[in-house]
């Protein structure tokens, strides 16, 4: 049994971490700067980022390596530093986790390559797999407990990563981002991801969704996962990492309107929909995580919420369709929280 599965079996629900970019911007990172460079240039800030999650009660946090593949690092003339930067991200994470005094999972974040695959793309399966493999080896040798594929939109990229992680002999989890009327940018529905995973030989330890539009929309996606998982008899835990509300442009900066109370409600609804690993994505700050931890620890499990329940607690959906063909309630102009 992996360390991840062992902790999940003991606690049944794990609290993941929050935002990486939002927190680093608050520490002074400039727009267009590669966060991964801070693993070497400003390691004290990355340790602080990880410590935010630990101090807020997270059971799991992601490393600062989302864009650490050769394709993305090439944009910063750092494609020859992939191993160095990913290894550093993992090593810093291991240091913080081991000093916490409790069991903390260090998950090596692996984001998309930023290139297009498939018939209309220029990136082959083999090249994508090699990029993911290079990153995977560095993260695991740096001390990660598992790899964490996130914000993927294309099935080809998900499969290339699965192959790379198998070559690296690394356990992994994988999420996609459903941000276009309940589908990924490449048109996948929640049920399509479940079907995709059903056919993967090197299956993830957990799967789910991250980022997207807002907390309400993401829960609609989790609902689709739960239904498809039951229909296909797939016994794999679900991950829910939603944004802290909706982004707004305020005084020259992007801010998210989700309050700690809203995210506390979101965490409970995610659990009642069937998610076992619950965290936040863009805009999710330590105060949001504290509220989510408190809610998960103090509020007992309840019935599965309806779309109307989600809308009433978290605000209206961004689109009428949920990506499965089922219509959501008509969007309201106001948002709670």
């Amino acid at each position: 049994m992996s360390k991840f599965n062992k902790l999940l079996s003991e606690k049944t629900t794990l609290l993941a971490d929050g935002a990486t970019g939002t927190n680093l911007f608050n520490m002074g990172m400039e727009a267009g700067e590669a966060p991964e460079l801070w693993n070497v240039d400003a390691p004290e800030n990355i340790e602080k980022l990880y410590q935010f999650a630990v101090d807020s009660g997270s059971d799991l946090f992601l490393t600062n390596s989302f864009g650490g593949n050769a394709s993305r690092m090439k944009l910063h003339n750092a494609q020859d530093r992939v191993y160095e930067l990913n290894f550093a991200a993992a090593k810093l994470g291991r240091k913080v986790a081991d000093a916490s005094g409790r069991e903390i999972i260090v998950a090596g974040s692996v984001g998309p390559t930023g290139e297009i695959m498939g018939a209309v793309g220029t990136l082959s399966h083999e090249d994508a797999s090699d990029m993911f493999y290079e990153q995977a080896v560095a993260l695991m040798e740096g001390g990660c407990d598992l790899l964490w594929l996130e914000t993927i939109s294309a099935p080809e990229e998900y499969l290339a990563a699965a192959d790379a992680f198998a070559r690296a002999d690394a356990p992994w989890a994988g999420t996609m981002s459903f941000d276009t009327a309940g589908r990924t940018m490449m048109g996948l529905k929640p049920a399509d991801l479940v079907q995709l995973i059903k056919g993967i030989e090197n299956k993830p330890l957990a799967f789910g969704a991250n980022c997207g539009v807002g907390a309400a929309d993401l829960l609609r996606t989790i609902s689709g996962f739960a239904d498809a998982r039951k229909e296909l008899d797939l016994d794999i835990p679900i991950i829910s990492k939603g944004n802290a509300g909706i982004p707004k442009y305020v005084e020259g900066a992007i801010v998210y309107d989700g309050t700690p109370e809203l995210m506390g409600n979101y965490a409970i609804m995610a659990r009642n929909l069937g998610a076992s690993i619950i965290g936040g994505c863009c805009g999710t700050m330590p105060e949001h995580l504290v509220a989510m931890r408190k809610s998960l620890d103090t509020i007992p499990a309840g019935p599965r919420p309806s779309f109307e329940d989600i809308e009433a607690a978290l605000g209206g959906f961004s689109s009428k369709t949920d990506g499965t063909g089922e219509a959501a309630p008509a969007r309201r102009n106001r948002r709670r929280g």
Side-chain angles (χ1 to χ4, degrees), residues 202-268:
N202 177 36
K203 287 181 172 53
L205 300 183
F207 77 98
N210 76 294
C211 204
V213 180
D217 282 49
L218 189 127
L219 290 188
R220 195 167 56 174
T221 297
I222 300 303
S223 177
F225 286 151
D227 291 340
R229 183 177 65 169
K230 181 178 180 180
E231 182 179 347
L232 294 175
D233 193 27
L234 188 70
D235 187 22
I236 297 180
I238 295 175
I239 299 164
S240 177
K241 281 191 107 231
N243 293 341
I246 302 296
K248 295 182 178 180
Y249 195 68
V250 179
E251 297 181 354
I254 299 295
V255 297
Y256 285 78
D257 66 2
T259 63
E261 180 186 9
L262 181 144
M263 291 304 284
N265 291 334
Y266 147 79
I268 294 303

Side-chain angles (χ1 to χ4, degrees), residues 79-101:
Q79 63 270 27
D80 58 345
R81 299 181 65 188
V82 169
Y83 185 93
E84 173 197 6
L85 296 172
N86 282 275
F87 182 88
K91 190 172 182 180
L92 292 170
R94 187 77 271 149
K95 175 184 176 182
V96 171
D98 290 346
S100 69

Side-chain angles (χ1 to χ4, degrees), residues 29-98:
M29 188 178 72
E30 299 290 339
E33 189 176 355
E36 295 76 19
L37 295 176
W38 275 26
N39 297 332
V40 173
D41 297 339
E44 67 282 358
N45 286 340
I46 303 308
E47 288 188 28
K48 183 179 179 181
L49 170 72
Y50 298 158
Q51 197 67 48
F52 280 160
V54 173
D55 292 345
S56 300
S58 295
D59 302 298
L60 174 155
F61 66 78
L62 275 58
T63 57
N64 180 44
S65 53
F66 175 82
N69 60 71
S71 178
R72 284 183 174 267
M73 295 314 301
K74 186 176 182 180
L75 300 175
H76 305 277
N77 296 314
Q79 63 270 27
D80 58 345
R81 299 181 65 188
V82 169
Y83 185 93
E84 173 197 6
L85 296 172
N86 282 275
F87 182 88
K91 190 172 182 180
L92 292 170
R94 187 77 271 149
K95 175 184 176 182
V96 171
D98 290 346

Side-chain angles (χ1 to χ4, degrees), residues 138-190:
L139 289 168
M140 294 305 293
E141 291 185 355
C144 288
D145 297 303
L146 80 163
L147 302 175
W148 193 280
L149 184 69
E150 56 174 335
T151 325
I152 302 298
S153 62
E156 296 87 356
E157 200 158 33
Y158 204 91
L159 293 173
D163 285 352
F165 300 159
R167 290 164 56 196
D169 194 25
W172 67 289
T175 63
M176 283 187 161
S177 184
F178 295 79
D179 53 10
T180 309
R183 300 177 182 235
T184 73
M185 185 172 62
M186 295 303 179
L188 267 72
K189 298 177 292 186

